Amino acid sequence: MLNLIIFGPPGSGKGTQSARIVEKYHLIHLSTGDLLRDEMENGTPLGKMVRKYIDKGLLVPDEIVLKELYQKASTHMDAPGFIFDGFPRTIVQAEALDRLLEKRNIPIGLVISVEVDEEELFRRLMGRAEDSGRSDDSDVIIRRRLEVYKQQTHPLIAYYRKQGKIITVNGMAPVDEVFGKICQAVDKHLIDQNSHSVAK
Ligand code: AP5
């Protein structure tokens, strides 16, 4: 089983790269942003509640996100693996994910951290705002999302570095190039994983 996390600030290309990774490695894409936006679009009570956070550029409370994630993941437990996109975003979420996966003996294999300069992130998201229809793609809210990332999510880099699972990729490069670097890292991880299991 191959479990990956694609990690990075808003606009770093997590969604763009996830689509390609899913196609190449046949993983299930779990994007908490997409799950929460579906609830908003369907006008569910949960959607109405999470909108209060998303429209302000704030994180949705951990317990809500975790419940959504568990529900979705549990319907795909026979999958060849998952790519987590936009999750985890807090230490509480990371610890909960570790517990969930370790219980099933399917831990996270690799965390791919995509690095992009802040002004480029802002430029990309303002560009996307022209046709994304996303209520959180506006200049003030984008700035807040970037700030929230720095304060609440960036510390996860140290969390995964301690576990020896993180690799960094230059996300300033063109999409194909970024994808190439990600594939190199994932393929190396798969080779290492296989040689460990043969050695056992
Ligand atoms: P979420 O949906 O996760 O959004 P995000 O992290 O803000 O990231 P984006 O989707 O904006 O960007 P991305 O990194 O996927 O980049 P993309 O590929 O789209 O979260 C939204 C909100 O939901 C949060 O603010 C929070 O409120 C809530 N939420 C979600 N998960 C949560 C959680 N776990 N806990 C609590 N709350 C949660 O690319 C962006 C643009 O750049 C596109 O136009 C793309 O074409 C372009 N682009 C991509 N790659 C490149 C490249 N290499 N070169 C040039 N342009 C590029």
Side-chain angles (χ1 to χ4, degrees):
M1 187 152 196
L2 174 63
N3 284 325
L4 305 175
I5 293 174
I6 186 141
F7 184 88
S12 53
K14 302 184 296 296
T16 304
Q17 297 298 333
S18 290
R20 291 164 172 241
I21 294 168
V22 162
E23 204 182 326
K24 175 159 179 170
Y25 297 98
H26 310 292
L27 305 180
I28 298 289
H29 182 209
L30 286 179
S31 155
T32 41
D34 286 350
L35 292 175
L36 297 169
R37 274 187 295 278
D38 280 352
E39 297 287 343
M40 280 165 49
E41 274 158 31
N42 292 330
T44 63
L46 178 66
K48 286 180 186 146
M49 211 248 279
V50 301
R51 181 181 287 286
K52 291 182 203 153
Y53 298 92
I54 291 181
D55 283 2
K56 292 192 184 98
L58 302 174
L59 293 187
V60 173
D62 290 329
E63 59 276 18
I64 296 176
V65 174
L66 286 168
K67 198 168 162 211
E68 277 291 289
L69 196 275
Y70 288 164
Q71 270 173 7
K72 186 73 177 179
S74 64
T75 60
H76 293 287
M77 276 307 174
D78 53 348
F82 294 102
I83 175 150
F84 297 94
D85 163 9
F87 178 90
R89 263 174 146 99
T90 62
I91 296 286
V92 169
Q93 292 179 17
E95 288 173 346
L97 181 65
D98 278 348
R99 282 195 298 274
L100 175 77
L101 297 179
E102 274 159 18
K103 234 194 296 176
R104 290 170 170 76
N105 204 20
I106 49 168
I108 291 295
L110 201 61
V111 179
I112 302 153
S113 172
V114 186
E115 296 185 335
V116 177
D117 293 352
E118 186 159 331
E119 280 319 300
E120 170 67 6
L121 296 169
F122 186 73
R123 197 190 59 74
R124 285 184 191 176
L125 293 175
M126 286 305 287
R128 190 181 67 182
E130 286 171 22
D131 56 11
S132 72
R134 271 179 58 165
S135 51
D136 57 348
D137 275 351
S138 71
D139 59 356
V140 175
I141 302 304
I142 290 170
R143 289 283 181 210
R144 185 173 296 149
R145 285 161 60 200
L146 293 172
E147 202 47 47
V148 165
Y149 169 80
K150 276 193 261 181
Q151 305 224 341
Q152 294 179 259
T153 305
H154 187 266
L156 287 178
I157 291 182
Y159 178 89
Y160 286 114
R161 186 164 289 139
K162 229 181 189 171
Q163 295 188 1
K165 290 183 175 170
I166 200 152
I167 62 113
T168 56
V169 171
N170 173 17
M172 298 287 284
V175 172
D176 286 345
E177 214 176 289
V178 178
F179 183 58
K181 296 281 181 213
I182 291 175
C183 293
Q184 276 177 16
V186 173
D187 292 344
K188 180 179 180 308
H189 168 73
L190 287 171
I191 291 169
D192 291 350
Q193 202 179 37
N194 284 341
S195 54
H196 277 133
S197 58
V198 168
K200 269 188 189 171

